Amino acid sequence: MSVPHAEAPATEPAATSGRPSAASRDFRGFWMAVLPPVLGLACLVLIWQLIASTSNSGIPKPAETWAQAVQVFSDPFYSNGPNDQGVGWNVLASLKRVAIGFGMAALVGIPAGFAIGRFEFLSRMFNPLISLLRPVSPLAWLPIGLLVFKGADPAAIWTIFICSIWPMIINTAVGVQRVPQDYMNVARVLNLSEWKIFTKILFPAVLPYLLTGVRLAVGTAWLVIVAAEMLTGGVGIGFWVWDEWNNLNVSSIIIAIFVIGIVGLLLEFALIKLATLFTFEEVKA
């Protein structure tokens, strides 16, 4: 009986000797999460430095842009009149327009997507119209907004609305059409009302598709608002870019590009977290 007790301690280290420790796994995971993005940003800065140093394009170097960024963000909420405001006010103005236009598109697009996906007659009726209007550039709708609403702000919001509505309609309708027919057969056997079908069957099944449409719509809206504000003027990140170009301040334009990218990244991250809360599947960017 003494032999098994003597061999037992020797077998356990042999089984675990080849496994990495928990600390080493955590360390490796940390570097895999941090090092690739840092190297990517370093490559971007290096290429930027090389282009700025070897060309006569007038592009400022990273160090010059950083100094300008420190000055810009030292007081992001100053206000010296309607056409001279800090970058913070410009970003907030753009986000406000995006929120209003996107919210209106969600109120119209999501119910329309459910109806088009649920009823074949509506699907056949509206699919040609969607196919016709969806490829139109969002900025092509801006003159229509200026003509109808007689103002830059409502025209920009209208442009956001018209470019945000299509992803939500299409993704929601596709989600409804992909609900398994067995679910609908059970609902028919149980004689469920249309409201019960919507709340108990359609909405839970379509939610991942709906959230995908919302993410696409927000990304599109944030892209379009910059171009719309360049054309309409006023306060906004797009107008700020155009105003800095008129002042030949290229460093501020580069700063604005990074600000636009960071805000878009934050919006995307927030929607991914929202989608993760309401779905069982892992949501990736």
Side-chain angles (χ1 to χ4, degrees):
M1 296 297 291
S2 61
V3 174
H5 288 288
E7 293 177 354
T11 56
E12 189 173 350
T16 59
S17 60
R19 298 177 184 174
S21 64
S24 65
R25 287 197 300 269
D26 292 342
F27 186 74
R28 183 176 182 276
F30 172 79
W31 280 112
M32 288 300 294
V34 174
L35 190 59
V38 170
L39 289 177
L41 290 174
C43 289
L44 174 63
V45 173
L46 179 60
I47 294 172
W48 178 6
Q49 176 70 30
L50 291 174
I51 294 175
S53 301
T54 59
S55 68
N56 297 321
S57 60
I59 297 176
K61 296 179 181 179
E64 299 171 3
T65 305
W66 175 259
Q68 179 70 14
V70 171
Q71 181 180 351
V72 167
F73 289 104
S74 62
D75 188 12
F77 291 101
Y78 76 87
S79 180
N80 294 330
N83 294 327
D84 185 12
Q85 300 192 30
V87 63
W89 292 121
N90 286 282
V91 170
L92 290 177
S94 297
L95 287 174
K96 179 182 176 182
R97 295 187 184 102
V98 168
I100 295 173
F102 171 79
M104 293 169 58
L107 290 176
V108 176
I110 292 175
F114 272 104
I116 291 172
R118 179 76 177 90
F119 303 105
E120 184 179 359
F121 180 82
L122 293 179
S123 177
R124 292 178 179 272
M125 177 179 175
F126 287 105
N127 277 344
L129 295 177
I130 295 173
S131 300
L132 175 66
L133 298 178
R134 184 176 62 87
V136 177
S137 171
L139 292 182
W141 296 98
L142 184 61
I144 304 297
L146 291 171
L147 176 66
V148 173
F149 299 108
K150 312 296 182 183
D153 254 12
I157 292 171
W158 154 255
T159 306
I160 295 301
F161 168 84
I162 202 67
C163 78
S164 302
I165 196 170
W166 308 124
M168 287 187 280
I169 290 178
I170 293 171
N171 280 273
T172 304
V174 169
V176 172
Q177 292 168 353
R178 291 188 179 181
V179 173
Q181 187 60 38
D182 291 343
Y183 295 178
M184 307 308 297
N185 293 338
V186 170
R188 195 175 296 110
V189 169
L190 296 176
N191 199 24
L192 295 181
S193 65
E194 199 64 37
W195 176 250
K196 285 286 187 180
I197 292 175
F198 172 76
T199 56
K200 301 298 183 181
I201 298 176
L202 293 182
F203 186 76
V206 175
L207 190 57
Y209 295 90
L210 189 155
L211 291 174
T212 298
V214 168
R215 288 174 56 198
L216 293 173
V218 167
T220 304
W222 185 244
L223 288 173
V224 170
I225 191 60
V226 176
E229 288 173 345
M230 285 184 178
L231 298 176
T232 58
V235 181
I237 191 65
F239 171 74
W240 192 63
V241 171
W242 192 248
D243 188 55
E244 294 301 319
W245 166 248
N246 290 330
N247 295 328
L248 298 179
N249 194 347
V250 183
S251 295
S252 292
I253 296 175
I254 296 176
I255 293 168
I257 290 172
F258 279 102
V259 169
I260 293 167
I262 291 171
V263 173
L265 184 64
L266 292 175
L267 290 173
E268 178 78 5
F269 180 77
L271 288 172
I272 288 175
K273 288 299 181 183
L274 179 65
T276 305
L277 290 176
F278 289 98
T279 58
F280 295 102
E281 302 175 357
E282 182 182 1
V283 181
K284 298 182 179 179

